[in-house]
Amino acid sequence: MSEKKIFLMGLGSVGRNLLSLLVNENFHNAVGKKFVLVGAADSRNIIFDEKGFSPELVLESKTNKALDSAGTVLKKLPGADEVDIFVDMSTASKDGKRELSIYSDYLKSGKSVITSNKSPLANFWPEIMKLAEEGKGSILYESTVCGGLPLFNMVKSALPEMEISSFRGIVNLTANYILENMRRGGTKEEAINNAIKEGFAETDYFDDVSGLDSARKTVIVANSLFGTQLRLKDQKFEGIESGTEFHKGTRKMLISSIKKTQDGVLAQSRIEDVNESDKFYSLKAKAMAYEIKPILRAPIFVSEDYDGPLETSIGVLSDLISLLN
Amino acid sequence: MSEKKIFLMGLGSVGRNLLSLLVNENFHNAVGKKFVLVGAADSRNIIFDEKGFSPELVLESKTNKALDSAGTVLKKLPGADEVDIFVDMSTASKDGKRELSIYSDYLKSGKSVITSNKSPLANFWPEIMKLAEEGKGSILYESTVCGGLPLFNMVKSALPEMEISSFRGIVNLTANYILENMRRGGTKEEAINNAIKEGFAETDYFDDVSGLDSARKTVIVANSLFGTQLRLKDQKFEGIESGTEFHKGTRKMLISSIKKTQDGVLAQSRIEDVNESDKFYSLKAKAMAYEIKPILRAPIFVSEDYDGPLETSIGVLSDLISLLN
């Protein structure tokens, strides 16, 4: 089998972590010979070389803020003939339109897209899935929800063809870290500053605090696991209000909750009161977690105490390995 | 692609649940045309038909205690030419030798084996893996550990090529249910009777209470996730003692614990004191759970409140689907 040509868009913290993983010995031994990294793009430059770059060189150039020094600079993204797997790790755009247009070119030609970018899937799920189906390429998106906590690939491998009756999860770390800081006595502003100091509030934390990020993820989980065709524009959601009141023995959490009802699938992204008898109550302030209930079997609870760009990049990596193997 | 010929050995509660799943609409639509059920065996009879049985007929005959009425009765298991995927859901034998001999015939010929039976893998891991590798067939064993809680397939899909530094888990439900009943004031005998009444103590509960079942699973996890070549005969383990003393604010749990140390991999199956700050402390009496710590990323905690033969059979099903797709 010939090597797959991989192109990376987005070299922020997730993209740079992925580059580091690509040179990790275990991974290199397992699939290093199955791909060639033909190019990469950050917000300013696009580099391309059909013979391939070493991930080290791209990482080094990016770290030195001189991505364009690594190779030939293109004015636009390479065409579908030049790429087999397009990996999007860029920041979510407001409406997802630009990403849709990019994915469309690759998917139409039967190429595959891996994305950690929520916006295109939350806004244009029906279009993107149709493009992937018609072109017979793949669209993989493990790391769009719950950062690096295994979700979609876990369901695919462990609960194949299982009907899901409900999902409940902390899918956005930052909002819940801020809420927990507020419960411990901080104001909303102090809590946001704490999250920025800790390094995991996204530069533009508005999407986290407003609840938009959690809403995007809610739409993606509903569409992926419950077969809906929801769009972000129709999804109601709540965000964090200043002066939120907390009650003793209760936490407040921004929770994504999706369930099958007699009237169809109900998808919500809301601030919930969580009391001591709730599995979510004892989660750490920086945790991600979800409980998924298949119709046939016992619910499965999955959590981690913290999550970051490295974990998210491992989610991207697991998608990449599944396409290479 | 031609249909895969499947043979089922063991029609206890796990085997019968699997037969029910095989006629489930979702599963049938997805992979029903990819296999033919050529036969099945319980502890008394072996039936075989190269044209295939309907899973309903096998289930009905077994339920009526007349498996032999379903079709041609063989005196021994069908040869490797007659089977593509051999599924072993029989009760663990004492030494695993019989299973090794059976698997050997199929694996040598490049056929695949799926097993929920711990004994052969705990006793003959090196031999079985060598046979699978040389024959280029697969040996899959998702449901040998933690019943139906996703473990090996989760790791494979979500943590590909990741080095694991530690694993800690409740891998045997019955022992921990008995310990929790004892903590609540019952004697060992009363607690065992409770477990039998609840229907999840295995008919011969000796393996659960003595700790042997947990030890078998510890060996399998170590070999699978840490690359060891352990055998049950070399594995020390603890079981449940009458008159165990419990301390306030502490539970006792039979825990499988495996970690990389400077001196190699340390695998233990012991009764541990678990205090309130421990994630395992708040688990239900019938829970299965584990925490797995990769070297690179945040540990992942996975749990379920209960587990039974249906959950285990779904683990077998997920292995089966992965071979059919």
Side-chain angles (χ1 to χ4, degrees):
Chain A
M1 222 174 71
S2 66
E3 293 167 329
K4 299 278 186 195
K5 294 174 279 185
I6 296 180
F7 186 92
L8 309 181
M9 180 168 84
L11 297 177
S13 50
V14 174
R16 292 197 304 275
N17 270 292
L18 183 70
L19 285 168
S20 300
L21 289 171
L22 292 179
V23 299
N24 173 286
E25 195 184 335
N26 287 350
F27 175 68
H28 186 79
N29 291 344
V31 295
K33 288 181 180 152
K34 295 185 178 173
F35 73 88
V36 49
L37 179 62
V38 295
D42 62 10
S43 53
R44 288 185 299 178
N45 290 298
I46 301 169
I47 56 168
F48 181 80
D49 185 340
E50 61 177 11
K51 291 187 189 131
F53 294 95
S54 80
E56 290 98 325
L57 175 66
V58 176
L59 183 57
E60 196 188 309
S61 309
K62 175 65 189 172
T63 308
N64 295 333
K65 302 193 177 180
L67 184 64
D68 51 347
S69 70
T72 309
V73 175
L74 299 187
K75 291 205 171 157
K76 55 181 191 128
L77 291 169
D81 289 350
E82 312 292 344
V83 175
D84 295 313
I85 303 174
F86 182 84
V87 183
D88 177 12
M89 295 170 291
S90 61
T91 308
S93 69
K94 207 180 160 202
D95 58 16
K97 281 186 187 162
R98 175 169 172 260
E99 296 96 319
L100 172 65
S101 152
I102 295 170
Y103 296 4
S104 176
D105 288 344
Y106 296 109
L107 291 174
K108 265 184 197 162
S109 306
K111 303 309 176 78
S112 294
V113 172
I114 295 172
T115 183
S116 63
N117 176 349
K118 283 82 68 177
S119 195
L121 291 178
N123 286 290
F124 298 107
W125 180 276
E127 290 79 3
I128 292 171
M129 292 302 140
K130 191 155 177 271
L131 284 163
E133 200 182 326
E134 289 175 357
K136 300 196 190 304
S138 298
I139 167 85
L140 298 179
Y141 46 87
E142 172 67 49
S143 50
T144 51
V145 177
C146 282
L149 196 62
L151 171 55
F152 301 112
N153 290 342
M154 193 284 280
V155 169
K156 200 164 141 188
S157 70
L159 303 172
E161 315 301 335
M162 294 274 144
E163 197 175 339
I164 308 295
S165 63
S166 71
F167 170 93
R168 181 166 177 259
I170 288 185
V171 296
N172 174 293
L173 190 160
T174 308
N176 282 294
Y177 181 76
I178 291 169
L179 281 165
E180 185 58 7
N181 269 262
M182 288 168 72
R183 186 177 75 100
R184 291 174 186 175
T187 64
K188 181 177 163 186
E189 287 63 35
E190 288 165 351
I192 289 172
N193 285 333
N194 254 343
I196 293 170
K197 262 187 226 152
E198 288 276 343
F200 57 78
E202 298 185 18
T203 324
D204 179 358
Y205 52 80
F206 176 79
D207 290 358
D208 298 317
V209 175
S210 69
L212 182 66
D213 181 76
S214 187
R216 284 189 187 120
K217 291 165 174 171
T218 303
V219 167
I220 294 172
V221 174
N223 290 344
S224 180
L225 303 186
F226 293 77
T228 52
Q229 300 276 311
L230 304 181
R231 291 178 193 272
L232 181 62
K233 68 181 172 57
D234 304 316
Q235 179 64 45
K236 288 181 190 155
F237 61 92
E238 294 180 0
I240 302 174
E241 307 286 345
S242 297
T244 299
E245 282 185 27
F246 294 86
H247 308 287
K248 211 181 160 186
T250 304
R251 287 175 70 173
K252 283 194 189 285
M253 293 180 169
L254 177 53
I255 286 182
S256 168
S257 164
I258 305 161
K259 54 185 96 161
K260 280 207 170 129
T261 72
Q262 288 190 320
D263 305 321
V265 174
L266 178 66
Q268 298 177 302
S269 182
R270 296 187 309 174
I271 309 278
E272 288 186 20
D273 284 312
V274 172
N275 64 42
E276 293 184 29
S277 66
D278 193 311
K279 273 197 186 72
F280 284 34
Y281 184 82
S282 55
L283 289 170
K284 306 277 189 206
K286 300 179 189 173
M288 293 276 202
Y290 65 86
E291 186 162 59
I292 190 163
K293 184 166 169 32
I295 282 182
L296 280 176
R297 54 151 289 153
I300 296 172
F301 177 78
V302 184
S303 71
E304 60 186 352
D305 290 348
Y306 60 92
D307 193 275
L310 172 62
E311 282 72 20
T312 301
S313 72
I314 290 173
V316 175
L317 180 68
S318 70
D319 281 343
L320 191 53
I321 292 183
S322 81
L323 286 183
L324 293 175
N325 280 338
Chain B
M1 223 173 74
S2 66
E3 293 167 327
K4 298 279 186 195
K5 294 173 280 185
I6 296 180
F7 186 92
L8 309 181
M9 180 167 84
L11 297 176
S13 50
V14 175
R16 293 197 303 275
N17 270 292
L18 183 70
L19 285 168
S20 300
L21 289 171
L22 292 179
V23 300
N24 173 286
E25 196 184 334
N26 287 350
F27 175 69
H28 186 78
N29 291 344
V31 295
K33 288 180 181 154
K34 295 185 178 173
F35 73 88
V36 49
L37 179 62
V38 295
D42 62 9
S43 53
R44 288 185 299 178
N45 290 298
I46 301 169
I47 56 168
F48 181 80
D49 185 341
E50 61 177 11
K51 291 187 189 130
F53 294 95
S54 80
E56 290 98 325
L57 175 66
V58 176
L59 182 57
E60 195 188 309
S61 309
K62 175 65 189 173
T63 308
N64 295 333
K65 302 193 176 180
L67 185 64
D68 51 348
S69 70
T72 309
V73 175
L74 299 187
K75 291 205 171 158
K76 55 180 190 130
L77 291 169
D81 289 350
E82 311 293 343
V83 175
D84 295 313
I85 302 174
F86 182 83
V87 183
D88 177 12
M89 295 170 291
S90 61
T91 309
S93 70
K94 207 180 160 201
D95 58 16
K97 281 186 186 162
R98 175 168 172 260
E99 296 95 319
L100 172 64
S101 152
I102 295 170
Y103 296 3
S104 176
D105 288 344
Y106 296 109
L107 291 174
K108 265 184 197 161
S109 307
K111 303 309 176 78
S112 294
V113 172
I114 294 171
T115 184
S116 64
N117 176 350
K118 283 81 70 178
S119 195
L121 291 178
N123 287 290
F124 298 107
W125 180 276
E127 289 80 2
I128 291 171
M129 292 302 141
K130 191 154 177 273
L131 284 163
E133 200 182 327
E134 289 175 358
K136 301 196 191 303
S138 298
I139 168 85
L140 298 179
Y141 46 87
E142 172 68 49
S143 51
T144 51
V145 177
C146 283
L149 196 62
L151 171 55
F152 302 112
N153 289 342
M154 193 285 281
V155 169
K156 201 164 140 186
S157 70
L159 304 171
E161 315 301 335
M162 293 274 144
E163 197 175 339
I164 308 294
S165 63
S166 71
F167 170 93
R168 181 166 177 259
I170 288 186
V171 296
N172 174 294
L173 189 160
T174 308
N176 282 294
Y177 182 76
I178 290 169
L179 281 166
E180 185 58 7
N181 269 261
M182 289 168 71
R183 185 177 76 100
R184 291 175 185 174
T187 65
K188 181 177 163 185
E189 287 64 36
E190 288 165 350
I192 290 173
N193 285 333
N194 255 342
I196 293 170
K197 263 186 226 153
E198 288 275 343
F200 57 78
E202 298 186 17
T203 324
D204 179 358
Y205 53 80
F206 176 79
D207 290 357
D208 298 317
V209 175
S210 69
L212 182 66
D213 181 76
S214 188
R216 284 188 188 120
K217 290 164 173 171
T218 303
V219 167
I220 294 172
V221 174
N223 290 345
S224 180
L225 303 186
F226 294 77
T228 52
Q229 300 276 311
L230 304 181
R231 291 178 193 271
L232 182 62
K233 68 181 171 58
D234 304 315
Q235 179 64 44
K236 287 181 190 157
F237 60 92
E238 294 179 1
I240 302 174
E241 307 285 345
S242 296
T244 299
E245 281 185 28
F246 294 86
H247 309 288
K248 212 183 160 184
T250 304
R251 287 175 70 173
K252 283 194 190 286
M253 293 180 169
L254 177 53
I255 286 183
S256 168
S257 164
I258 305 161
K259 53 185 98 159
K260 280 208 170 130
T261 71
Q262 287 191 320
D263 306 321
V265 174
L266 177 66
Q268 297 177 303
S269 182
R270 296 187 309 175
I271 310 278
E272 288 186 20
D273 284 312
V274 172
N275 64 42
E276 293 183 29
S277 65
D278 193 311
K279 272 197 187 72
F280 285 33
Y281 184 82
S282 55
L283 289 170
K284 306 277 188 207
K286 299 178 189 173
M288 293 276 202
Y290 65 86
E291 186 162 59
I292 190 164
K293 185 168 168 31
I295 283 181
L296 280 176
R297 55 150 289 153
I300 296 172
F301 176 77
V302 184
S303 71
E304 60 186 353
D305 289 348
Y306 60 92
D307 193 276
L310 172 61
E311 282 72 19
T312 301
S313 73
I314 290 173
V316 175
L317 180 68
S318 70
D319 281 344
L320 191 53
I321 292 183
S322 80
L323 286 183
L324 293 175
N325 281 338

